[in-house]
Amino acid sequence: MREPRSRRETRSAVLRYLWCSGGSFRPALADHVGLTDASISRIVAELKSERLIDESKRTAPYQGGPSSFLTLSNDLYVGTIEFSGSRVHIGVGSLTGEIRFSEWLDLPDGAEPETVRSTYRRALHQLTDHLHRAGIRLCQLAVSIPGYHEDLRANPIIALDPAELLREIQAALPSVPLLAANSIVTRAVAHRLKLGVDLAGGPYFYTFVGHGVAAALVDDFASSGEVAACEIGHMVLDPRGPRCRCGHSGCLEAYVSTAAVAPAIGLREQDLLAMDEWQAGRLKLSTRAQADLTARLARLGHAIGNALNLTPIRRVVVAGWPAELGEKMHASVVGGIEASLFGGAAAVNLTFANAELGREPAAGLALATHAYLQRGAMRPAEAAENRAAHHLIER
């Protein structure tokens, strides 16, 4: 027997499936979320009445099949403030991913607190000014910050007080639900959305290697929605190693971030960040540079293996610059996992994904949409009441 499902959970399952799939005929939607035709009709009518979804006619997938096609509404908007790539990005977009507004401001690494504060205040002013001029009311705002953790008063990567930042945002947009998350959660959600509804096999460990290095445990958000940050970039591998921007020495990031790797192999960081498979295939590295790169990738594998020792998950996705280097270099990552993982790397399903850089603020908007749909497109208080009522029913 299927576990009891609250109204919020049902709405969330329907909306997230439409988001991941880009739209669906009713039978496929009902089959995926485990609802009867009558239940789908009821929930679709409810969501249409709230202008959350649109229904149009399309050619049936088979003769005599359904022609009613459901999609998320393109008239509701989410927003983001995304700290990424030495910039502060702001954006407004629809639930379907269409970007309505996008700007960015430079924020160099190591900027002093007052510079950081003045930069995000200017970004917030630009965002609120656009919303006012365009007459847009946001359903959700997501703030994405490298190194963010709700228990940390000071951010280890950017010289800001996250609580102060969030207070200023709430003062400027008092009626807008607000979510703050670590940047790796943002990237993991955006990557998972790109995969659509066809991914099978359960949860996986997502690692991003770029200007920063981070990881997340991802459970298929088409069913449960769980994406949890997992510290890996600042895992200390050698306390006598190179200095990291977080202030410690020997962190994984100090070995495999683009800021560390690029000068070691004779490239500019921006070239390494933008490198694709074709460019990677044309690299002419010296024997010494190849050995250096191999050692760095082995450290990446070692750190991943250390993390896997703490979780039963054995599916791993590595996104970022290592994805473009080919099987020979990828074997170095596997070797690092083998050296650290109890039971060996043979049980690990390791895949590589491209960096997907330059997607800001699309990634932040995906996070905002995910947060909104995760609570069934309800106001936060209403969603909390629904969860509490469902908990009492289950007990």
Side-chain angles (χ1 to χ4, degrees):
M1 180 180 295
R2 186 171 60 83
E3 293 182 0
R5 178 183 280 176
S6 69
R7 173 170 169 261
R8 178 194 65 81
E9 289 171 329
T10 301
R11 287 166 59 101
S12 178
V14 169
L15 292 169
R16 284 184 285 127
Y17 182 76
L18 294 178
W19 185 43
C20 293
S21 64
S24 174
F25 292 98
R26 289 195 186 209
L29 175 60
D31 181 66
H32 182 85
V33 299
L35 295 175
T36 64
D37 291 342
S39 295
I40 279 290
S41 294
R42 177 183 57 79
I43 198 71
V44 164
E46 178 179 304
L47 296 174
K48 285 178 65 178
S49 71
E50 297 176 28
R51 299 191 304 112
L52 286 164
I53 63 175
D54 294 326
E55 191 166 17
S56 60
K57 297 296 182 181
R58 289 198 181 183
T59 303
Y62 49 87
Q63 188 172 5
S67 59
S68 177
F69 194 77
L70 302 169
T71 59
L72 292 181
S73 170
N74 207 35
D75 298 325
L76 297 176
Y77 294 93
V78 296
T80 188
I81 299 176
E82 185 174 356
F83 292 78
S84 179
S86 301
R87 292 174 176 175
V88 180
H89 302 261
I90 52 176
V92 175
S94 69
L95 299 184
T96 58
E98 178 184 334
I99 296 179
R100 173 76 176 263
F101 168 73
S102 175
E103 294 288 350
W104 56 266
L105 289 79
D106 281 320
L107 183 64
D109 280 349
E112 295 296 321
E114 190 51 47
T115 299
V116 175
R117 189 177 294 111
S118 65
T119 301
Y120 74 63
R121 285 175 176 171
R122 283 188 289 127
L124 179 59
H125 175 75
Q126 289 185 20
L127 177 61
T128 54
D129 181 63
H130 172 78
L131 295 174
H132 177 74
R133 288 187 290 104
I136 291 175
R137 180 178 179 180
L138 296 180
C139 300
Q140 177 76 49
L141 181 71
V143 182
S144 177
I145 308 171
Y148 173 78
H149 191 286
E150 60 184 6
D151 294 333
L152 294 179
R153 177 177 175 83
N155 184 275
I157 306 301
I158 301 173
L160 61 77
D161 179 345
E164 179 185 53
L165 166 64
L166 298 179
R167 284 194 298 269
E168 294 193 26
I169 294 172
Q170 289 176 320
L173 298 167
S175 63
V176 178
L178 178 62
L179 169 74
N182 192 298
S183 293
I184 187 58
V185 173
T186 307
R187 290 194 177 277
V189 167
H191 173 263
R192 178 62 190 86
L193 175 62
K194 182 181 178 182
L195 296 177
V197 297
D198 297 324
L199 183 69
Y204 60 93
F205 188 76
Y206 175 85
T207 303
F208 177 79
V209 189
H211 184 70
V213 181
L217 298 175
V218 182
D219 199 351
D220 183 355
F221 65 55
S223 58
S224 73
E226 296 178 2
V227 181
C230 176
E231 183 56 71
I232 192 172
H234 301 289
M235 180 188 294
V236 175
L237 301 178
D238 182 355
R240 297 168 298 179
R243 193 76 168 170
C244 180
R245 59 176 174 163
C246 73
H248 294 91
S249 296
C251 296
L252 175 65
E253 185 172 299
Y255 291 103
V256 302
S257 70
T258 50
V261 172
I265 62 175
L267 293 177
R268 298 185 306 165
E269 183 182 11
Q270 55 265 45
D271 293 334
L272 184 56
L273 282 167
M275 186 175 63
D276 57 26
E277 185 176 359
W278 180 82
Q279 292 169 313
R282 294 172 61 91
L283 282 177
K284 302 298 183 183
L285 299 178
S286 67
T287 301
R288 181 177 180 179
Q290 290 183 39
D292 180 81
L293 200 56
T294 297
R296 291 173 186 271
L297 291 173
R299 287 185 181 274
L300 172 61
H302 201 132
I304 292 172
N306 287 343
L308 294 183
N309 280 325
L310 300 177
T311 173
I313 293 174
R314 288 297 178 265
R315 299 175 64 231
V316 178
V317 176
V318 175
W321 65 266
E324 314 297 347
L325 297 179
E327 293 183 5
K328 185 176 180 179
M329 286 297 181
H330 292 172
S332 301
V333 179
V334 176
I337 295 175
E338 176 72 31
S340 65
L341 183 62
F342 297 142
V348 176
N349 179 358
L350 177 65
T351 58
F352 291 82
N354 61 33
E356 299 179 341
L357 297 169
R359 298 194 65 209
E360 305 87 356
L365 293 173
L367 177 65
T369 304
H370 176 241
Y372 181 56
L373 302 184
Q374 180 72 1
R375 64 171 189 272
M378 295 177 172
R379 301 292 297 177
E382 183 184 4
E385 290 172 2
N386 189 265
R387 282 196 299 271
H390 182 59
H391 176 68
L392 290 175
I393 291 171
E394 286 183 317
R395 292 189 64 180

